[in-house]
Amino acid sequence: MIAGVAAGHPATARAGVEILADGGNAADAAVAAALASCVAETVMTGLLGGGHAIYYDAATGVARNLDFFCAVPGLGTEWHDPELVHLEVPFGAELVHYAVGPASCAVPGVPAGLGALWEAHGLLPWARLVEPALQLAHDGVEMPEAHVACLRMLEPVMTMREGARMYAPGGVLLEPGELLQQPGLVTALESLAAEGAPGAYDGTIGASLLELSRERGGLVTAEDLGTYAAAWNAPVETVRLGRRFLTRAGLSGLPETIGRLPSLAGLSPAERLVALVTALDDAAGPETHTTNLVTVDRDGNACVLTTSLGLGSGDWLPGFDLHLNSMLGETDLLRGALVPGARMHSMMAPTLVFDAEQLDLAIGAAGGTRLRTALVTVAAAILDEGVEPQEAVDRPRVHIADGVANAEPGADEDGLAQLEARGLTVRRWPERHHYFGGVSASAAAGAAADPRRSGVALPAPAAG
C-alpha cells in the first residue's frame, strides 16, 4: 500500500503527511492528523469527543481495535436524568430533533485515545505531534465548502455562546474560503503539548471541564475523568469471498452486513444497487457529526481512526474554544439504562481488509446511520469490481431510511425503479450531499477521500 494520509480536510491530511515526512509512523501520523482535525474540522469533531480506531502493526502482523468512545458520566454522585435543550434542525427535506446543552456532555475519550495510540505505537515525541494542530490554531484554518454547508445546517447550535464569535464573526456565518479563527485552541493545545494527553483529565483542560460542568448543570465529575481509560481489544473478524474483514461490531452492524453481501463482480449497475440495498437493512436516525482518517506508512503499518462530538452541546470551555460533546442527547446511541462509567454505544466501524496475510484495504467512514452504507458501498466497489479507490468514493450512493430510498444524482434509474416496485419511496437528492457519509480509504491502487466532506488524500513525500 502507498504511504500517505486520507482525511476529511486538506489541513488534516497535511498534518499527517508532515509527520510521516519527519520520520513518524502511521500511529504518529494518525495522532497528529486527529489533533489537526480538532482545529480544522470543528463542525464535525473535537478534542472533547470520542472515537474508535484500528491499528495494524506490520512487523507483528497484529491488528487491534482501540475504544476511546465517550463514557456515561455521573460517577461519585447520585444519578439524575440530564436536563437537555431540545431543537429542531432542518436537514435536507426534514426537520430533525436534537438534544443539546451542558448536561448532554458525556466523558470525553479523544485525548485518552490519542495518548494510548502514541504510547503503544508512536515513535516521535508527543509534543512534536501537537505542533501541526497548534500551528493551525495560531494561523486559522480555511473553511471548505462541505464544512460550510454543514455549518449552515447546524447554525442554531454552532452559534450558541462562544460559537457565534468563531463561526459567525460580525453576525454573519463563515463562507467557503474564509478563515475559522479559534484562538482559545492555542491555549488548549499548548497545555496538551506540555501536560500530555492526561492533562485533558487531571490537568488544565480537565479542571476547566469540571468547572463548567458544575456551573451549568453538567454531569461530568472528577471521578469520571480520573477513571476514564482508552481500551485496546481484539477486532471482530468476518470472512467474505476469501478476504478477512477486521472491524468492530455493536451498532455498526458491519460484520453482519458484510456476511450477507454477495459478490458484486459482473453485475449490472441496477443489480449492484439492489444487492447493496438488500444487504444494508433499513436504518434511521439523526445525523451525527463525525470525521474519519486513514494513515499508512512506508513499513506497511496502517491506522483508521474515527472521531465525533455528536452534534456538539452548544457549550465551549471558556478561554479554550473547546466544544463539548452531546453524546447523551444522541438518541441512536442510547440503548438500555445509562450506567455511570459504562461506554456508550457507537456506529463507528474502522476497518481493515486482508487478502491472505496481505493488507488489501484500510477504510473508515463518518455519517452516523449513513456510515455503514457509505463504507460498504465503497469497499465492495474496490474489492469486488477493482474500481480505483477515488472513483469508488465518488460513486453515487443510495441509503434506505424509514422506507425511503435516498438517492444521489447518478444512481442507476433501473435499480431505483426496482426499489419502487418493492414499495419503497425514492427520494432523488438534487446534488451530492454530506448526508451520505464521508469515506477515507487506502488500498494498493491508492488512497481516496470523500468530496462530500471536502476530504483530501495525500501521498507521503518520497524518501530522501
Side-chain angles (χ1 to χ4, degrees), residues 53 284 455 458-459:
L458 299 175

Side-chain angles (χ1 to χ4, degrees), residues 410-434:
D412 185 82
E413 285 295 333
D414 289 341
L416 295 179
Q418 292 183 42
L419 298 184
E420 288 176 318
R422 290 185 178 187
L424 290 170
T425 299
V426 174
R427 178 184 293 151
R428 291 167 175 83
W429 288 58
E431 59 187 10
R432 189 160 55 185
H433 198 279
H434 66 266

Side-chain angles (χ1 to χ4, degrees), residues 51-294:
H52 286 275
I54 188 167
Y55 189 82
Y56 174 63
D57 185 289
T60 62
V62 174
R64 294 191 295 168
N65 282 351
L66 180 60
D67 178 348
F68 55 99
F69 204 65
C70 297
V72 178
L75 289 173
T77 63
E78 185 175 345
W79 173 259
H80 61 277
D81 290 331
E83 296 181 8
L84 304 177
V85 178
H86 296 271
L87 298 171
E88 298 289 339
V89 178
F91 189 73
E94 302 174 6
L95 278 178
V96 178
H97 178 264
Y98 290 102
V100 299
S104 70
C105 181
V107 186
V110 168
L114 300 184
L117 179 59
W118 172 71
E119 288 176 359
H121 296 288
L123 299 176
L124 299 183
W126 171 261
R128 173 68 185 98
L129 306 186
V130 182
E131 287 177 5
L134 188 54
Q135 189 64 53
L136 284 175
H138 273 292
D139 296 345
V141 61
E142 190 172 297
M143 286 287 285
E145 185 174 349
H147 290 237
V148 170
C150 191
L151 173 62
R152 289 171 182 155
M153 186 186 73
L154 302 180
E155 181 178 359
V157 172
M158 300 304 291
T159 56
M160 287 182 176
R161 300 187 175 90
E162 295 88 348
R165 163 176 52 81
M166 292 179 280
Y167 299 102
V172 180
L173 279 181
L174 292 171
E175 293 290 336
E178 292 187 323
L179 283 185
L180 171 61
Q181 302 280 1
Q182 305 159 108
L185 290 180
V186 174
T187 305
L189 289 165
E190 286 176 343
S191 77
L192 198 69
E195 300 171 6
Y201 300 89
D202 60 12
T204 303
I205 294 172
S208 179
L209 177 57
L210 290 176
E211 182 178 359
L212 183 144
S213 187
R214 286 192 295 267
E215 288 179 354
R216 300 189 189 174
L219 303 181
V220 177
T221 68
E223 189 172 342
D224 290 327
L225 298 183
T227 57
Y228 184 91
W232 290 99
N233 49 64
V236 174
E237 179 174 330
T238 300
V239 177
R240 175 182 179 268
L241 304 176
R243 289 186 173 93
R244 295 189 302 127
F245 284 70
L246 301 183
T247 187
R248 60 177 300 275
L251 295 184
S252 81
L254 191 62
E256 298 86 349
T257 303
I258 290 296
R260 62 176 173 260
L261 180 66
S263 174
L264 305 187
L267 300 185
S268 69
E271 289 169 334
R272 286 200 307 268
L273 188 155
V274 172
L276 280 165
V277 165
T278 301
L280 292 157
D281 339 302
D282 185 278
E287 166 84 345
T288 56
H289 297 280
T290 313
T291 194
N292 185 80
L293 62 91
V294 176

